[in-house]
């Protein structure tokens, strides 16, 4: 990997990390606020959910499917 790619990667990581915030929804479920949006301006719905047997799961709780259904027959 060349130096310019490493520089871009570092800047991108720093920018995204500053923009990401976690908010507790309920026990075991956290909302992840990001700077990313759908074309209509709505934010992506991302959640961090505690697994039943430990660990964590990244999920959208089917919000992306709902957003796709606005413009597509799904």
């Amino acid at each position: 990997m060349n130096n310019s790619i490493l520089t871009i990667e570092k800047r991108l990581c720093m920018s995204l990390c500053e923009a990401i915030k976690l908010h507790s929804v309920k026990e075991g479920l956290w909302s992840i606020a990001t700077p990313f949006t759908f074309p209509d301006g709505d934010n992506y719905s991302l959640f961090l959910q505690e697994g039943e047997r430990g660990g964590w799961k990244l999920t959208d709780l089917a919000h992306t499917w709902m957003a796709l259904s606005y413009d597509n027959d799904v």
Side-chain angles (χ1 to χ4, degrees), residues 34-46 60 62-71:
T34 72
F36 305 116
T37 61
F38 286 103
D40 66 0
D42 285 350
N43 289 321
Y44 286 160
S45 295
L46 296 172
D60 69 350
H63 283 92
T64 302
W65 185 258
M66 180 183 65
L68 288 172
S69 73
Y70 296 153
D71 296 325

Side-chain angles (χ1 to χ4, degrees), residues 3-74:
N3 194 30
S4 64
I5 294 297
L6 291 174
T7 301
I8 292 170
E9 185 179 71
K10 184 176 179 179
R11 287 181 182 172
L12 184 61
C13 183
M14 286 175 22
S15 296
L16 288 176
C17 290
E18 289 177 6
I20 294 174
K21 304 289 183 217
L22 294 177
H23 306 280
S24 178
V25 175
K26 63 180 185 178
E27 187 175 337
L29 183 66
W30 292 80
S31 172
I32 305 171
T34 72
F36 305 116
T37 61
F38 286 103
D40 66 0
D42 285 350
N43 289 321
Y44 286 160
S45 295
L46 296 172
F47 300 90
L48 193 58
Q49 187 173 36
E50 193 169 6
E52 293 176 10
R53 295 178 289 197
W56 293 90
K57 176 171 73 170
L58 186 63
T59 179
D60 69 350
L61 298 178
H63 283 92
T64 302
W65 185 258
M66 180 183 65
L68 288 172
S69 73
Y70 296 153
D71 296 325
N72 302 285
D73 185 21
V74 290

